[in-house]
Amino acid sequence: MGTREDTLKKEKVISLKQFDSTLVVSFYDKYSELLPYKKQALEIYQQQHYNYIWYDGNGIKENAAVIWNKINNLQDDGIKTSVPYVKVFKSKYATKTQSADSEIEIALTSYYLFYVDKVFHGIDITKSKGLGWYLPRNKPTYLNYLDSLLVDAKSTDVNYLIPQYYKLRELLKNYRKIEKKGGWKTIPVTQKFTSLKPGDTSSFIPEIRRRLFIEGDLSNDSKSHFYDEELKLGVLNFKKRTGFKTELVILPKHIAEMNIPISYRIKTIMVNMERCRWISNGLTNSKKFIVINIPSFQLTFFKDKKPVLISNVVVGKMMNETVIFSGMMSNIVFSPYWNVPNSILRKEILPALQKNKNYLSLHQMEWHNGGVRQKPGPKNSLGLIKFLFPNNNNIYLHDTPSKNLFKEETRAFSHGCIRVEKPVELANIILKEDPNWTPKKTYEAMHTNKESWYTLKTKIPVYIGYFTAWIDNKGRLNFYKDIYQKDGRLFEMLAKD
């Protein structure tokens, strides 16, 4: 990327005569809907010494066409917002591109700022916090992209947001193409329908084939009524992408998932593109980091930007949502006590004590410092190990004795903390580079029934996010259930913004 000095040198060679600074002020008086960008526009022109940015001696420049094209195709970026005065300037832009026009010049600068605001930044941070999003927001500067665009009109914006955004943007185009062709039809199963399994024949099967073929789960549509080997692969692909158990039987709930309209899928992609705008593209700069996606019920440990561990997790139920935030893992606790939160003590433990005075001893609990704690051991609610990243939400990762819950498709059962299916593997990966620790020592520390703490030599970032559409490493677009019902509210905000 060229420096601002390089940009100015290039501009001096081909720039026109400076225009009057008062034209900027009068422009925003006339086109008041663009007023939010007045301050930034003035800053840009002051730094450019009120030289034309988008014109030179030969007329309108190539980089102006880039901005004009982007602002007229915001739907490609999943933006529903209407662009102020775009019809007014469309005719002017078409007829006044040879000689410099100050209104088009300032309008293009405003539209550049509009684009950066909507595409790189997204909705206001107070609105995202209102949706429970406390991960650090991306803070792109409106000058960065401008610098590169002025130096090279062919420069792209692919480095300003996380890679997932651009992957979703490409898939959004594909889904809109499918929608234009009619999308997919509702599979008309009756109330008597119970299941389909390999080897069955049914009038529904051609409809299922067609549905899976349209979205790419099947590479061929044979139109056969027979549940054959080819259909098996399509069904498994679909279930892997939509969070179902990878079983071959087709149940009513699977048909219901297939019947979700493409318009809904497009909305889901759009709201998750918006969430991508909130993530710093420097997130992956850490050598190690942990990502937990709440709707997919999955934890991924990244090392050198590659996933080295994937584990199922259990997250908070609807009434006890796991918070969307980040922290720095600093400690591992072996054979932990569980200090019962006051809310659980009040709502669950004390009522149980009234019914059975031996409740504490039966559950290996004891009074401690005015509260209740559960002793270390295999029956402890935190299991045999927990991972701490200090935060105001009192959320951490931990083992659990309730291993059966990891087999469920929807795993929202906790009071907010995150239960990890593979805690031993997670501990061993974290401790691998410490010569004082071995898998054997980890196992022994977890089974002493005596709490002990280990302080990490290097803290590990932990990111807890909420994405209901995500493209995996194999290029598959996965859809997850909106367990906390956040998508609808976000889409309404996008439509109004």
Side-chain angles (χ1 to χ4, degrees), residues 397-415:
L397 310 178
H398 65 88
D399 180 24
T400 176
S402 303
K403 308 293 186 185
N404 61 306
L405 295 180
F406 293 112
K407 297 178 182 179
E408 299 294 326
E409 288 177 339
T410 300
R411 296 187 291 276
F413 300 108
S414 80
H415 288 88

Side-chain angles (χ1 to χ4, degrees), residues 45 52 64 110 141 187 191-192 207 279 294 310 339-340 381 390 392 444 457 472:
Y45 283 115
Y52 282 88
S110 302
T141 168
I187 300 170
Q191 291 184 343
K192 294 181 180 179
E207 298 285 346
I279 300 287
I294 295 170
I310 297 175
N339 295 298
V340 179
S381 294
N392 295 330
E444 290 172 348
K457 293 183 177 179
D472 61 26

Side-chain angles (χ1 to χ4, degrees), residues 20-58:
D20 190 340
S21 61
T22 60
L23 293 176
V24 179
V25 177
S26 61
F27 174 89
Y28 289 104
D29 288 339
K30 183 176 180 180
Y31 301 104
S32 58
E33 288 183 47
L34 292 170
L35 193 60
Y37 305 105
K38 176 181 176 181
K39 180 181 178 181
Q40 293 173 333
L42 284 168
E43 289 175 359
I44 289 174
Y45 283 115
Q46 285 167 4
Q47 293 188 31
Q48 295 287 350
H49 306 294
Y50 289 93
N51 283 304
Y52 282 88
I53 296 173
W54 310 106
Y55 284 91
D56 61 24
N58 297 318

